[in-house]
Amino acid sequence: MPASSNRPRDPFVDWVRQVTPYIHAHRGKTFVIAIGGEALTDARFPDLVHDIAMLHGLGIRLVLVHGARPQIEARLAERGARMRYVNALRVTDDTALACVKEAAGVVRVEIEALLSLGLANSPMAGVRIPVVSGNFVTARPFGVLDGVDYGHTGTVRRVDRHTLRALLDQGAVALMPPLGYSPTGEVFNLSAADVARSTAEALQADKLVFLLEDEEVRTAALPPTLLTGEVDALLDAATPLPEGLGKCLRASAEACRHGIPRVHLVGRSGDGALLRELFTRDGSGTLVSAEPFEELRAARIDDVAGILELLRPLEERGILVRRSRERLETEIERFVVAERDGLITACAALYPYADEAMAELACVAVHTQYRAGGRGDRLLEYMERLAHAQGITRLFVLTTQTAHWFQERGFAPAGLEALPMARQALYNFQRNSKVFIKRL
């Protein structure tokens, strides 16, 4: 073994190597990022803008959608007024609309200023980011519902995807306020979540990201991943969600149903939370998708290296029988893997003995960092369904150190004679593995 293998690993080099696949994967992709107006009141907001500028520097096409709720409420308070809500929907009268226009303009200018920062001692030294805002959203009035006239409150009718794409192609960052315009020249107060969702759908963006207030995230205690059906269940639950979070969750599920592969909900105040979400495998927030983020599928020949890496620690401890690359390549069609963003997190193999309607479950392994969350159980359930579909009535395992895990899941001890004759002939008496069988 080369002497250099004993040198301590450099954490910085390891970090660069870990994020590089994400840099390659994200380059040239379109992300729509929604930011609440609360973010601008945070002293750490410049750090978030610098992180967003970094995404632009890495070749990501960016559309920023901003809210302005606290800024609007502050201007209403100055006029001795407040925003009226009916059935959780805003009623925007003439006074409120004037405040919405003022607040949206101020927020836009502040974000543009931060994206223009290029001082030598700043993270954006030497950076020149063109920022463009405009009348990209055509809107219509919400109208009258149950006798209530919602005034200048509107909904998105259409997003000008052609102009947006042209601007992104030129390297600009598109900045979109929660405003929409009608062909008759009217201005409408819109939900920033709806603007972000509609924009992502119009552009068929690769990602939609909602940066949320941490208090909302803590209150809801969202899991790391959610499918659209699970989002629906949260929205229909008896316990109400914070209003802003509810809107973002509803927009997330709708976006996924209209072709957006991944929507991210991230608590914005954690230092570098956006970067951790986009450039690490486990992220920092909640991923919403129409399909499971971690896929169970039949193994392919290009999975061999990942499977070998997963099995090696268990082979070294004597838990699994050592398999060569050549053997694994010839038996790859027997394997099922769980894949998470290119990493093989779990695997198992099924070796059927059709004459006895039995099959051996082998090479059951879960990555050490992913043993929580019931992955082993999901993998076992998948393998049982796969065996049953092949007419298998009994599944058996041979194990030296994981007997209790299998017994807890319905496998019963059995003698060697219970195995198919062909498998008995291959039994390694030196390993002295215990036999367990489960009826399917």
Side-chain angles (χ1 to χ4, degrees), residues 163-303:
T163 300
L164 281 172
R165 283 174 180 163
L167 292 169
L168 297 176
D169 288 344
Q170 296 170 21
V173 171
L175 183 59
M176 300 178 64
L179 295 174
Y181 307 87
S182 74
T184 59
E186 295 175 90
V187 181
F188 293 101
N189 181 18
L190 306 178
S191 160
D194 284 341
V195 172
R197 174 192 60 78
S198 300
T199 303
E201 291 176 12
L203 295 173
Q204 279 300 286
D206 300 280
K207 289 185 185 294
L208 170 59
V209 182
F210 289 105
L211 295 173
L212 305 174
E213 297 308 297
D214 282 9
E215 183 178 347
E216 293 182 328
V217 176
R218 284 193 297 269
T219 300
L222 296 178
T225 61
L226 282 171
L227 298 178
T228 50
E230 295 170 324
V231 172
D232 294 338
L234 280 174
L235 293 171
D236 293 338
T239 304
L241 294 168
E243 180 190 353
L245 177 60
K247 287 183 178 179
C248 292
L249 280 169
R250 189 170 289 105
S252 298
E254 188 70 13
C256 289
R257 292 190 175 103
H258 285 82
I260 306 305
R262 294 182 178 182
V263 180
H264 302 258
L265 303 172
V266 184
R268 66 162 179 83
S269 67
D271 186 29
L274 176 61
L275 300 181
R276 286 197 302 273
E277 178 68 13
L278 297 176
F279 293 96
T280 65
R281 186 169 286 111
D282 297 324
S284 62
T286 293
L287 174 69
V288 180
S289 61
E291 300 294 333
F293 171 47
E294 194 165 4
E295 179 187 15
L296 274 170
R297 58 169 175 80
R300 303 185 292 258
I301 194 67
D302 55 358
D303 296 321

Side-chain angles (χ1 to χ4, degrees), residues 80-99:
R82 62 184 179 85
M83 188 71 77
R84 181 181 167 217
Y85 289 84
V86 178
N87 297 323
L89 292 173
R90 294 172 293 189
V91 177
T92 309
D93 58 20
D94 291 343
T95 301
L97 181 62
C99 295

Side-chain angles (χ1 to χ4, degrees), residues 36-353:
E38 294 83 356
L40 277 82
T41 64
D42 191 328
R44 294 169 293 183
F45 183 60
D47 294 332
L48 175 59
V49 175
H50 295 160
D51 290 346
I52 291 171
M54 184 187 299
L55 300 182
H56 179 269
L58 293 173
I60 297 171
R61 297 151 57 91
L62 293 176
V63 178
L64 303 183
V65 178
H66 69 78
R69 174 182 291 188
Q71 292 81 4
I72 294 169
E73 291 177 346
R75 281 160 178 77
L76 283 168
E78 291 171 359
R79 291 168 168 79
R82 62 184 179 85
M83 188 71 77
R84 181 181 167 217
Y85 289 84
V86 178
N87 297 323
L89 292 173
R90 294 172 293 189
V91 177
T92 309
D93 58 20
D94 291 343
T95 301
L97 181 62
C99 295
V100 170
K101 292 177 181 178
E102 290 178 14
V106 169
V107 170
R108 186 200 75 192
V109 169
E110 291 183 10
I111 294 175
E112 288 177 349
L114 287 171
L115 285 170
S116 301
L117 181 65
L119 297 177
N121 61 347
S122 77
M124 294 172 61
V127 175
R128 173 72 177 91
I129 302 176
V131 183
V132 181
S133 187
N135 58 340
F136 305 127
V137 178
T138 300
R140 61 177 178 82
F142 190 84
V144 179
L145 181 65
D146 295 332
V148 177
D149 185 352
Y150 286 85
H152 301 287
T153 296
T155 59
V156 177
R157 179 178 172 187
R158 184 174 60 253
V159 175
D160 185 355
R161 63 180 182 274
H162 300 295
T163 300
L164 281 172
R165 283 174 180 163
L167 292 169
L168 297 176
D169 288 344
Q170 296 170 21
V173 171
L175 183 59
M176 300 178 64
L179 295 174
Y181 307 87
S182 74
T184 59
E186 295 175 90
V187 181
F188 293 101
N189 181 18
L190 306 178
S191 160
D194 284 341
V195 172
R197 174 192 60 78
S198 300
T199 303
E201 291 176 12
L203 295 173
Q204 279 300 286
D206 300 280
K207 289 185 185 294
L208 170 59
V209 182
F210 289 105
L211 295 173
L212 305 174
E213 297 308 297
D214 282 9
E215 183 178 347
E216 293 182 328
V217 176
R218 284 193 297 269
T219 300
L222 296 178
T225 61
L226 282 171
L227 298 178
T228 50
E230 295 170 324
V231 172
D232 294 338
L234 280 174
L235 293 171
D236 293 338
T239 304
L241 294 168
E243 180 190 353
L245 177 60
K247 287 183 178 179
C248 292
L249 280 169
R250 189 170 289 105
S252 298
E254 188 70 13
C256 289
R257 292 190 175 103
H258 285 82
I260 306 305
R262 294 182 178 182
V263 180
H264 302 258
L265 303 172
V266 184
R268 66 162 179 83
S269 67
D271 186 29
L274 176 61
L275 300 181
R276 286 197 302 273
E277 178 68 13
L278 297 176
F279 293 96
T280 65
R281 186 169 286 111
D282 297 324
S284 62
T286 293
L287 174 69
V288 180
S289 61
E291 300 294 333
F293 171 47
E294 194 165 4
E295 179 187 15
L296 274 170
R297 58 169 175 80
R300 303 185 292 258
I301 194 67
D302 55 358
D303 296 321
V304 167
I307 295 173
L308 285 171
E309 186 175 349
L310 183 64
L311 298 180
R312 188 178 299 114
L314 299 175
E315 293 172 348
E316 291 173 350
R317 292 164 55 192
I319 297 175
L320 296 179
V321 176
R322 191 176 296 275
R323 278 173 167 75
S324 66
R325 175 181 287 271
E326 292 74 16
R327 179 182 174 187
L328 191 55
E329 288 176 351
T330 61
E331 298 179 350
I332 194 64
E333 75 278 0
R334 305 290 187 193
F335 278 77
V336 166
V337 297
E339 181 187 5
R340 183 184 179 93
D341 258 12
L343 175 72
I344 303 300
T345 59
C347 73
L350 193 69
Y351 295 85
Y353 295 83

Side-chain angles (χ1 to χ4, degrees), residues 7-23:
R7 295 175 183 171
R9 299 182 68 89
D10 186 330
F12 172 75
V13 174
D14 284 345
W15 173 80
V16 172
R17 289 169 177 162
Q18 289 166 11
V19 302
T20 297
Y22 293 96
I23 294 173

